[in-house]
Amino acid sequence: MEIKVKAYAKINLMLDIIYRRTDGYHDLFMIMQSIGIYDTVTVTATKSKKITITCNIDDIPLDEHNIAYKAAAAFFDSTKIKNKGVNIDIVKRIPHAAGMAGGSADGAGVLVALNELTGAGLSDDELCAIGVKIGADVPFCIKGGTLLAQGIGDVLNKVKPLKKCYIVIAKPDCSVNTASAYKQFDECGKVHTPDKLGMLYAMQGRDLKEICSKMENVFEQFIAVENKVEIKDIMRANAALGVCMSGSGPTVFGIFDNKDSAEKCALELKPLAKDIAVTSPVSKGCRIVK
Ligand code: ATP
């Protein structure tokens, strides 16, 4: 028996770091949005008594370092269900180490799939409680849609969904180490604080232009990303309503209300970015494929 799940990527419409807690984690304020780029996670019952992983690309780990493996181990540990053997197959489409929660999405997909496969019947909140032990973005990736994430990213509250729009994703050919990005925040602090209240009002009114004008990511104040300025210039020249970096980068995204402009922009970005896509918001973090 197997369960197939679409595990969606995210972008951050806003990311503010409030402060560094005494336990070393950071308290955050993030408006997160699931988008239509997804990995397909298929969990199959085997008789190996082990967790095994297969993947279509070879630059992510296939052992216990994979977030999908950690999620499966945490699921069996928390539910006390005996693992008779599962294989996790990941078809990766979400660019990794991109600030789009690719690994967390796979972890979320595994939890949702195992819940179905084993008939454990856990609620989303119960799955989130397991997921947060693996990574701060996993609870968002389980619930998904448009959410305000606070705490370390695990305190989730609904905000109104984004109106239909087109999102151009551009990941330059470089990577950012998330841990060192936070270290830079600890050392440098921030020079500007995003207008969080203004963003919440804009989200409440579902005013796309206003939302786009409020988009801000504090990591951009101290993370240098190759070609970012040029990518943003091209997005703006193609009538993007707003442009911003996602997570700790390096992915830059632009939001458009016109599909043709978004597609033209994506073509023009080709010389500047390794992974480019035109997508739209989705209302779920994970979707079981029937
Ligand atoms: P976030 O937005 O949550 O910071 P990210 O998009 O920056 O995430 P990931 O794609 O989650 O980063 O990958 C981060 C690291 O985790 C990579 O170096 C990768 O080797 C490792 N990793 C472990 N498991 C996975 C997985 N299933 N998919 C992608 N990367 C994984």
Side-chain angles (χ1 to χ4, degrees), residues 10 12 32 39 53 55 57 59-63 65-70 90 92 94-107 136-138 141 176 178 182 246-251:
K10 61 85 180 166
N12 297 90
M32 302 176 82
D39 289 349
I53 300 188
C55 184
I57 61 165
D59 45 1
I60 63 162
L62 296 180
D63 55 10
H65 298 293
N66 195 303
I67 298 166
Y69 184 106
K70 290 181 191 172
I90 305 170
K92 265 215 109 51
I94 306 173
H96 65 287
M100 295 171 73
S104 303
D106 296 346
D137 282 344
V138 178
C141 291
V176 176
T178 305
Y182 277 108
S246 187
S248 56
T251 299

Side-chain angles (χ1 to χ4, degrees), residues 191-227:
V191 289
H192 184 261
T193 297
D195 179 9
K196 297 188 278 292
L197 200 55
M199 179 56 122
L200 287 176
Y201 274 121
M203 295 298 305
Q204 179 67 17
R206 301 188 74 202
D207 181 338
L208 195 57
K209 277 196 181 136
E210 188 66 9
I211 291 167
C212 288
S213 76
K214 297 288 178 194
M215 290 195 313
E216 190 172 339
N217 178 342
V218 288
F219 278 122
E220 293 198 61
Q221 296 174 30
F222 42 86
I223 301 284
V225 166
E226 202 180 298
N227 295 336

Side-chain angles (χ1 to χ4, degrees), residues 122-170:
L122 301 186
S123 65
D124 277 359
D125 283 339
E126 288 168 323
L127 289 179
C128 287
I130 302 175
V132 71
K133 296 182 201 154
I134 310 151
D137 282 344
V138 178
F140 172 80
C141 291
I142 291 169
K143 293 193 170 174
T146 317
L147 295 177
L148 164 64
Q150 291 171 283
I152 60 167
D154 59 323
V155 181
L156 300 172
N157 281 290
K158 274 200 171 167
V159 286
K160 288 202 175 155
L162 269 195
K163 280 196 174 147
K164 173 82 179 168
C165 60
Y166 302 92
I167 302 167
V168 176
I169 300 295

Side-chain angles (χ1 to χ4, degrees), residues 71-72 101 141 144 236 241 258:
C141 291
R236 288 194 190 100
L241 302 176
N258 180 293

